Amino acid sequence: MKKTITIIGSGFSALVASCYLAKDGFDVTILEKNHTVGGRARQLSKDGFTFDIGPTWYWMPDVFEKFFADFGKKPSDYYHLDKLNPAYEVYFGKVDSIKIPDNLADILFIFEKEEKESAKHLNDFLDKAKHNYDVAIKDLVYRPGISITELITPATIKKANQFFSSIRTTVRKKIKNHRLQQIMEFPVLFLGAKPSNTPSFYSFMNYADFGLGTWHPKGGMYEVVKAMVTLAVELGVKIETNQNVEKINVENGEVKSIVSNGITIESDVVLSGADYHHTETLLEEKYRGYSENYWDSKIFAPSSLLFYVGFDKKIDNVSHHTLFFDTDFDVHAKAIYDNPKWPEKPLFYASFPSKTDSTVAPEGTEAGIFLIPIAPGIEDTFEIREKYFKSIIERFEQLTNQKVSENILFKESFCVNDFVNDYNSYKGNAYGLANILTQTAFLRPKIISKKVKNLFFTGQLTVPGPGVPPSIISGKIVSDLIKKQFTNI
């Protein structure tokens, strides 16, 4: 008799875990709260436009390749990838931007043009970053976060000092040009923490950026979700949508069943890819591994105010990914991490996938996604959203030297309240726990429940952390642990 596994949620980590577990012989069912799969990586379609609601960056292609290779597949079996050139563009002022090319030689040329001898410094920095990438992605991040000993290897002992110095300190030791500093500090924002609080070991994100490049799956990131769903179904995974899990039943310290839409479903194992904090509220209090005080004391990665905009014309002077660093990042960061409130002059990001992909917008139009990082848990109202949309569109027009406000066909927004309502996200966070030193590896919430046998967790609140590639890795880690627990199947 096959062991049954019920997975709560259908985000990247849950889909990945379902594939491995089905391959290993488990009877796997995914229960998704919403009417479509993908978790935070859902898709919005409107009037011929297509938007990724969640992740828009495709970095670390080797992680995706490794996942599909474990099933004898390749990403190209499911979706087409284009390497972006430029990878992205960064605005610092009016008609003042730097485009990051798709190869290191051209990147080095741009750095040297901005600051003499910076190309050499960048090359030296990236040599170390590549080594860190090899250590991290090929070894450390696939460890389950059970013990500190996982971090103690010959390679990490040599790099111990990198865990106690910051990315900011390392970058600014040799690079003095502020524009270049911002470009080099940008990748660690994917980890959900300030560069000043992120260990310099995470320079491997710079190698992911400059060394591996930025890619786009034709049709958007949701094509990756569709690929994983196709693979999961081929492997025998059952996926049910509109399933609101209301309770996890435990007897004598062991999970027995879940209640979804009022119906009890027995299960040998429950794996939650949903919000960790929310999942524990489905348990009786005595079975919860972490208190409310614990969660309240954690440093969370930002939430986001997002806008999905259809324009009736093509937008000039922007790239597929465009970052607007024309205001002070440190001031904005304080409004996220130190004194949570709405920022006065936020940095923002815009994605125009139709610059690369003609399938996501009608001919002659442009699909635009705008994102402002904000603190989780702050007030979210229609009036606030409108105020910030007006503000960033005005800045966008000034910085890119064009008028677009009269060319908006429609806009949709997504913010703190939506993260709570759609994903049961703690305080409406968008990316999980920040990857600072005190929340790294074994210091993150555990994949294996501390109090309930056969209850497991996966996703951005546990190891290895925020982002799509880490979520894929998290799904692999938890599936290995479950398989190990049932080696007799």
Side-chain angles (χ1 to χ4, degrees):
M1 187 81 175
K2 284 185 176 182
K3 294 289 185 182
T4 57
I5 296 184
T6 301
I7 299 179
I8 304 172
S10 65
F12 282 115
S13 57
L15 289 171
V16 166
S18 77
C19 291
Y20 283 112
L21 292 166
K23 180 186 175 187
D24 289 335
F26 291 93
D27 182 355
V28 183
T29 300
I30 290 175
L31 301 180
E32 166 57 48
K33 171 181 179 285
N34 296 302
H35 71 277
T36 58
V37 297
R40 294 167 197 246
R42 293 182 300 154
Q43 192 176 66
L44 169 65
S45 297
K46 182 169 181 175
D47 298 344
F49 291 82
T50 301
F51 305 90
D52 284 312
I53 292 177
T56 56
W57 293 77
Y58 192 106
W59 270 12
M60 302 185 190
D62 51 319
V63 174
F64 296 82
E65 290 163 6
K66 178 177 170 58
F67 165 70
F68 286 109
D70 285 343
F71 301 90
K73 304 287 187 179
K74 304 183 297 293
S76 59
D77 292 332
Y78 299 98
Y79 52 88
H80 174 78
L81 277 177
D82 288 306
K83 192 176 188 184
L84 298 184
N85 188 21
Y88 54 90
E89 182 172 1
V90 185
Y91 267 87
F92 299 97
K94 184 173 182 177
V95 199
D96 176 19
S97 68
I98 293 177
K99 293 180 179 179
I100 301 301
D102 68 347
N103 66 89
L104 184 55
D106 287 346
I107 294 170
L108 291 171
F109 177 81
I110 285 173
F111 267 60
E112 190 65 20
K113 187 178 176 182
E114 283 286 317
E115 180 182 0
K116 190 174 175 57
E117 296 191 6
S118 64
K120 177 185 181 302
H121 297 322
L122 176 60
N123 222 9
D124 292 343
F125 179 87
L126 289 177
D127 282 344
K128 295 174 183 174
K130 182 183 186 305
H131 192 263
N132 285 356
Y133 190 89
D134 290 339
V135 170
I137 302 303
K138 295 177 182 177
D139 184 13
L140 289 185
V141 296
Y142 283 92
R143 301 192 178 198
I146 293 171
S147 165
I148 188 175
T149 58
E150 296 172 11
L151 293 179
I152 302 172
T153 69
T156 57
I157 288 171
K158 292 178 183 177
K159 297 175 179 291
N161 64 313
Q162 293 190 38
F163 288 93
F164 298 99
S165 61
S166 73
I167 280 285
R168 170 159 289 184
T169 300
T170 304
V171 164
R172 300 192 177 198
K173 190 178 295 182
K174 296 289 180 69
I175 303 291
K176 303 303 179 184
N177 180 288
H178 185 57
R179 290 148 60 100
L180 299 183
Q181 289 172 346
Q182 287 182 292
I183 289 170
M184 290 183 69
E185 291 173 359
F186 148 69
V188 301
L189 299 181
F190 283 99
L191 301 172
K194 293 189 289 187
S196 57
N197 285 346
T198 303
S200 62
F201 178 75
Y202 285 103
S203 65
F204 66 74
M205 293 295 292
N206 294 94
Y207 175 72
D209 178 2
F210 293 159
L212 299 177
T214 303
W215 301 75
H216 173 73
K218 186 175 181 179
M221 287 292 288
Y222 197 68
E223 292 301 309
V224 185
V225 172
K226 287 161 66 175
M228 291 178 174
V229 168
T230 299
L231 178 59
V233 171
E234 287 173 353
L235 292 164
V237 176
K238 297 177 284 295
I239 301 175
E240 299 180 18
T241 55
N242 297 308
Q243 290 286 338
N244 184 35
V245 176
E246 299 146 344
K247 189 178 179 184
I248 299 173
N249 293 318
V250 178
E251 294 178 15
N252 300 320
E254 182 174 351
V255 73
K256 288 297 179 185
S257 62
I258 62 98
V259 179
S260 182
N261 294 345
I263 298 172
T264 300
I265 302 169
E266 293 186 356
S267 188
D268 297 308
V269 176
V270 171
L271 167 59
S272 179
D275 180 271
Y276 202 125
H277 169 269
H278 170 73
T279 303
E280 289 218 311
T281 68
L282 305 178
L283 295 162
E284 292 181 49
E285 191 167 349
K286 65 181 178 180
Y287 291 126
R288 298 173 191 172
Y290 301 97
S291 67
E292 289 296 322
N293 286 339
Y294 170 87
W295 292 110
D296 193 52
S297 70
K298 297 292 104 178
I299 304 298
F300 275 79
S303 186
S304 299
L305 170 55
L306 291 134
F307 296 99
Y308 312 98
V309 186
F311 294 95
D312 67 6
K313 69 171 186 177
K314 302 303 288 184
I315 305 298
D316 298 325
N317 305 329
V318 293
S319 299
H320 183 127
H321 295 300
T322 308
L323 301 155
F324 294 87
F325 285 2
D326 57 306
T327 61
D328 192 322
F329 170 74
D330 289 335
V331 173
H332 185 172
K334 286 178 182 176
I336 296 174
Y337 298 103
D338 303 335
N339 180 27
K341 61 181 180 180
W342 280 94
E344 290 184 17
K345 295 181 179 178
L347 283 70
F348 66 98
Y349 153 69
S351 173
F352 300 93
S354 43
K355 289 289 176 189
T356 301
D357 188 346
S358 62
T359 69
V360 301
E363 186 176 355
T365 67
E366 206 85 86
I369 302 169
F370 295 82
L371 182 153
I372 302 173
I374 58 174
I378 59 176
E379 182 184 15
D380 171 18
T381 66
F382 173 80
E383 291 74 20
I384 291 173
R385 296 188 191 194
E386 289 297 296
K387 170 188 171 185
Y388 277 86
F389 182 73
K390 183 173 183 289
S391 171
I392 64 170
I393 288 297
E394 287 176 354
R395 277 171 55 199
F396 178 85
E397 289 180 326
Q398 180 184 19
L399 292 165
T400 62
N401 197 30
Q402 65 190 311
K403 290 291 184 182
V404 300
S405 57
E406 299 301 317
N407 300 99
I408 295 172
L409 295 169
F410 66 84
K411 75 173 188 297
E412 301 281 346
S413 64
F414 201 94
C415 196
V416 171
N417 292 344
D418 302 299
F419 281 104
V420 173
N421 294 334
D422 288 9
Y423 311 129
N424 295 309
S425 171
Y426 181 73
K427 292 186 177 180
N429 80 83
Y431 304 108
L433 284 174
N435 249 346
I436 58 177
L437 182 61
T438 55
Q439 295 178 173
T440 294
F442 69 100
L443 297 173
R444 298 179 73 81
K446 302 301 183 187
I447 276 185
I448 303 174
S449 170
K450 298 196 293 185
K451 294 186 177 181
V452 180
K453 185 179 179 183
N454 296 341
L455 174 61
F456 297 82
F457 299 86
T458 188
Q460 60 187 13
L461 284 175
T462 184
V463 292
V468 177
S471 292
I472 292 172
I473 292 167
S474 185
K476 167 65 172 169
I477 292 170
V478 73
S479 64
D480 287 343
L481 288 172
I482 293 171
K483 181 183 178 182
K484 184 177 179 181
Q485 187 151 322
F486 294 91
T487 51
N488 60 330
I489 64 169

